[in-house]
């Protein structure tokens, strides 16, 4: 008999990928994924620990799941509650102590053991598994049981050896590990066979990828991208998240040579002050970062940049903050994430002196965001009138509307028939706001006569135009 599986996912795309894999692993056991916890037989919270209040959020959600568990118990049925992901890894004991109704707690490296864990928990034994097993979970994953959708994620690397002093990832995800290239190429082919047009290669430190093939040769990310480029039917490749220290020249070159590699780079800088970058143990300077930006523009002049920033790291002065604002001005980003520093227990940053008061952090964040938001708004505004190939990868909120992505990662709302879902179609951008754009599907004739259309994209985009839709 089929059972209901509810998974709620917080955090990064790696967690989204992990949740999908958990569903794939549980599918042979009869679990079907559902969108709400009502009447679910297994409820998993896949958590993120990167910034503050993670644990409180988990407890408040657990309270709600408990009600569902109790409602099921009143009918004489059993429901299991599990906490997975980085909060489970970091605070598993606290969760088990505080929430006696939680049946399973397991870290990100153990979800391939889910069938065993579920069996054990079904037999009324609480399960806790926050090990870093010697075997790789990737060697034990079943083939995908659900369609990936037009835009798929593929985890190629996990963990991190960089130890930035603000970050929990090296502790929760463990040491850097790269999957073998053959395993990745096979998974990529399967995703394309099942309809994916775009693949985003994922890793906490994705450009540090160094997978060994069967001959013992080590592949870097550039070579892996070149291998994936050869998969027929795949139209777009992306990767995230990168560290400036691993932005090798061969990786920069593939941005020039491989048309399927999208002209967008998410490259966190965190701060524009060399003093703070040093305290953060980032192992790069602001000048190093800017020189990567220049090289990337030489390789792919139309590339769009995005980044992550942290304001208010311990010891950050007004002058350090000003250096961050200056860097933002110099790069001119298309979109960014920016955060107030939040001390993470167990990281070196959490015990550093020079704590920045909360109201100073607030003011600095506001000042930085006013620059970044304006850059994003004006980036989108500059797209108005241009024709770009858009991959329709989501349904819009209104009927008759699809949501897609430009090569530059901008969201586009378009009135379009549902059968264009999963297609790449030329769209003229009509309107823009800070968060995205809206556009209209254009005919091939319009594309060819459009002065704003880029030749490069005429080849990639227009071959997929469904002319009957125009
Ligand atoms: N405080 C604030 N932001 C953080 N990030 C990571 N750790 C912290 C922290 N302790 C941000 C970084 C990183 C992004 C994923 O989250 O900017 O790049
Ligand atoms: Fe965390 Fe990224 Fe630094 Fe690794 S490189 S420690 S994942 S911020």
């Amino acid at each position: 008999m089929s059972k209901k599986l509810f998974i709620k996912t917080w955090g990064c795309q790696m967690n989204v990928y992990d949740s999908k894999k958990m569903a794939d692993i549980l599918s042979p056991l009869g679990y079907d994924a559902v969108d709400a916890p009502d009447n679910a037989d297994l409820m998993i919270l896949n958590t993120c620990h990167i910034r503050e209040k993670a644990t409180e959020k988990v407890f408040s959600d657990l309270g709600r799941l408990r009600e569902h568990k109790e409602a099921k118990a009143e009918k004489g049925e059993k429901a299991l509650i599990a906490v997975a992901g980085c909060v489970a890894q970091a605070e598993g004991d606290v969760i088990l102590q505080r929430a006696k109704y939680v049946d399973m707690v397991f870290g990100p490296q153990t979800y391939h053991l889910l069938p065993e864990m579920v069996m054990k928990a079904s037999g009324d034994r609480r399960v806790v598994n926050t090990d870093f097993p010697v075997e790789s979970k990737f060697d034990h994953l079943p083939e995908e049981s659900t369609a990936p959708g037009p835009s798929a994620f593929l985890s190629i690397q996990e963990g991190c050896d960089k130890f930035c002093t603000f970050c929990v990832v090296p502790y929760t995800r463990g040491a850097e590990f790269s999957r073998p290239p053959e395993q990745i190429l096979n998974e990529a082919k399967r995703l394309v066979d099942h309809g994916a047009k775009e693949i985003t290669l994922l890793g906490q430190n994705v450009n540090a990828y160094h997978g060994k093939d069967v001959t013992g040769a080590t592949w870097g990310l550039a070579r892996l991208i070149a291998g994936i480029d050869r998969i027929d039917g795949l139209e777009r490749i992306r990767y995230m998240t990168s560290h400036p220290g691993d932005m090798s020249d061969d990786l920069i070159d593939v941005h020039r040579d491989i048309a399927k590699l999208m002209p967008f780079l998410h490259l966190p800088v965190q701060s524009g002050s060399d003093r703070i970058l040093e305290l953060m143990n980032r192992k790069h300077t602001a000048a190093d970062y800017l020189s990567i930006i220049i090289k990337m523009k030489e390789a792919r002049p139309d590339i769009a940049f995005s980044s992550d920033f942290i304001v208010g790291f311990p010891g950050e002065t007004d002058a350090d903050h000003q250096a961050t604002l200056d860097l933002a001005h110099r790069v001119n980003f298309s979109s960014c994430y920016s955060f107030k520093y939040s001390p993470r227990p167990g990281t070196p940053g959490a015990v550093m002196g020079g704590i920045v008061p909360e109201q100073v952090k607030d003011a600095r964040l506001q000042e930085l965001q006013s620059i970044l938001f304006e850059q994003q708004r004006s980036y989108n505004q500059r797209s108005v009138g241009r024709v770009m190939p858009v991959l329709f990868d989501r349904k819009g909120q209104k009927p008759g509307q699809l949501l897609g992505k430009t090569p530059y990662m901008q969201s586009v709302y378009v009135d379009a028939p549902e059968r264009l879902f999963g297609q790449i179609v030329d769209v003229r951008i009509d309107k823009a706001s800070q968060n995205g754009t809206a556009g209209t599907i254009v005919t091939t004739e319009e594309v060819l006569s459009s002065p704003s259309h880029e030749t490069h994209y005429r080849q990639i985009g227009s071959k997929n135009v469904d002319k009957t839709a125009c």
Side-chain angles (χ1 to χ4, degrees):
M1 204 185 78
S2 112
K3 293 182 219 146
K4 289 185 179 170
L5 166 68
F6 170 74
I7 307 184
K8 175 165 175 179
T9 310
W10 280 278
C12 62
Q13 275 91 352
M14 301 280 292
N15 265 14
V16 176
Y17 177 88
D18 285 356
S19 292
K20 178 133 191 359
K21 287 293 171 199
M22 287 190 229
D24 288 340
I25 289 167
L26 290 168
S27 168
L29 271 66
Y31 284 97
D32 288 332
V34 291
D35 292 334
D38 311 69
N39 215 22
D41 300 282
L42 173 55
M43 300 171 261
I44 302 178
L45 298 180
N46 191 8
T47 60
C48 169
H49 202 237
I50 202 108
R51 282 176 296 276
E52 79 256 82
K53 301 205 180 89
T55 320
E56 290 95 291
K57 281 185 210 155
V58 171
F59 278 108
S60 97
D61 263 51
L62 278 175
R64 279 192 286 277
L65 296 192
R66 177 191 198 167
E67 289 168 20
H68 291 287
K69 181 172 173 148
E70 286 170 354
K72 217 154 152 69
E74 277 168 27
K75 291 191 274 176
E77 294 169 16
K78 188 176 172 84
L80 298 176
I81 298 182
V83 183
C86 294
V87 176
Q89 186 70 39
E91 312 218 27
D93 295 342
V94 181
I95 295 168
L96 285 176
Q97 259 172 32
R98 266 179 65 184
K100 300 283 183 218
Y101 50 91
V102 168
D103 304 280
M104 297 157 70
V105 166
F106 54 93
Q109 304 311 333
T110 62
Y111 61 68
H112 58 297
L113 303 171
L114 254 175
E116 279 167 50
M117 295 194 277
V118 169
M119 296 281 274
K120 207 168 149 191
S122 305
D124 280 338
R125 280 148 68 205
R126 287 181 106 192
V127 173
V128 51
N129 194 345
T130 49
D131 294 342
F132 291 101
V134 202
E135 84 274 11
S136 155
K137 67 182 171 193
F138 294 109
D139 295 339
H140 299 270
L141 296 182
E143 293 200 358
E144 302 67 33
S145 58
T146 48
S151 179
F153 293 131
L154 202 174
S155 242
I156 65 164
Q157 177 280 335
E158 202 170 353
C160 184
D161 296 341
K162 295 277 190 295
F163 290 94
C164 299
T165 52
F166 53 82
C167 185
V168 284
V169 165
Y171 311 96
T172 56
R173 290 269 172 174
E176 205 178 287
F177 166 80
S178 295
R179 295 175 71 185
E182 297 91 343
Q183 206 182 64
I184 297 169
L185 289 168
N186 284 336
E187 187 167 332
K189 279 184 203 128
R190 285 201 307 269
L191 291 170
V192 174
D193 285 347
H194 288 103
K197 291 264 169 40
E198 170 175 278
I199 291 182
T200 303
L201 305 174
L202 296 179
Q204 263 96 24
N205 213 177
V206 74
N207 59 341
Y209 175 79
H210 58 282
K212 270 207 168 67
D213 69 15
V214 277
T215 70
T218 301
W219 294 37
L221 182 59
R223 183 168 174 196
L224 184 69
I225 289 172
I228 291 177
D229 178 49
R230 285 194 280 276
I231 300 176
D232 278 345
L234 180 66
E235 304 269 353
R236 294 178 164 195
I237 306 170
R238 301 180 185 275
Y239 62 92
M240 71 186 295
T241 292
S242 297
H243 187 283
D246 295 309
M247 224 43 234
S248 58
D249 286 344
D250 62 345
L251 182 57
I252 295 177
D253 287 347
V254 289
H255 278 272
R256 182 191 55 228
D257 301 334
I258 295 187
K260 285 183 193 174
L261 186 58
M262 290 293 99
F264 175 85
L265 178 68
H266 180 65
L267 191 63
V269 64
Q270 315 296 0
S271 169
S273 152
D274 288 346
R275 213 177 61 79
I276 295 298
L277 288 170
E278 172 110 41
L279 286 172
M280 287 175 164
N281 191 31
R282 287 289 290 175
K283 304 186 185 84
H284 66 83
T285 61
D288 295 335
Y289 187 88
L290 292 168
S291 96
I292 296 168
I293 298 290
I294 292 168
K295 283 198 220 166
M296 287 295 297
K297 279 188 186 163
E298 279 165 8
R300 184 74 210 240
D302 61 330
I303 192 155
F305 296 105
S306 109
S307 197
D308 291 344
F309 288 88
I310 297 176
V311 300
F313 189 75
E316 188 188 69
T317 62
D318 285 342
D320 295 318
H321 175 60
Q322 188 55 50
T324 299
L325 303 182
D326 293 345
L327 183 135
H329 279 303
R330 289 182 71 175
V331 179
N332 198 6
F333 293 96
S334 66
S335 62
C336 279
Y337 299 95
S338 43
F339 313 101
K340 285 191 287 182
Y341 171 66
S342 125
R344 305 283 70 212
T347 60
V351 290
M352 280 183 186
I355 292 173
V356 176
E358 214 46 39
Q359 65 276 28
V360 176
K361 282 190 201 169
D362 283 333
R364 287 184 186 163
L365 186 66
Q366 221 180 16
E367 200 176 4
L368 175 62
Q369 287 186 339
S370 73
I371 295 168
L372 298 175
F373 291 168
E374 174 50 26
Q375 290 182 351
Q376 186 170 340
R377 196 201 56 76
S378 106
Y379 186 85
N380 288 340
Q381 191 59 42
R382 288 198 300 278
S383 307
V384 172
R386 288 181 64 185
V387 174
M388 288 193 253
V390 168
L391 170 60
F392 288 127
D393 59 351
R394 282 157 293 163
K395 310 250 160 83
Q397 277 154 354
K398 291 188 229 148
Q401 193 181 54
L402 292 177
L403 206 65
K405 273 197 302 247
T406 70
Y408 310 101
M409 277 299 268
Q410 296 153 291
S411 295
V412 195
Y413 282 92
V414 180
D415 285 335
E418 200 167 324
R419 68 198 153 76
L420 289 185
F421 180 75
Q423 302 290 316
I424 297 178
V425 175
D426 280 322
V427 168
R428 187 187 47 247
I429 307 298
D430 302 323
K431 281 195 284 194
S433 68
Q434 184 194 311
N435 292 326
T437 65
T440 322
I441 294 173
V442 296
T443 61
T444 308
E445 292 68 41
E446 269 183 84
V447 175
L448 296 174
S449 62
S450 162
S452 53
H453 188 64
E454 284 186 34
T455 326
H456 180 76
Y457 282 124
R458 193 173 301 155
Q459 299 159 354
I460 304 175
S462 49
K463 73 175 180 224
N464 283 316
V465 171
D466 181 337
K467 294 199 187 76
T468 54
C470 304

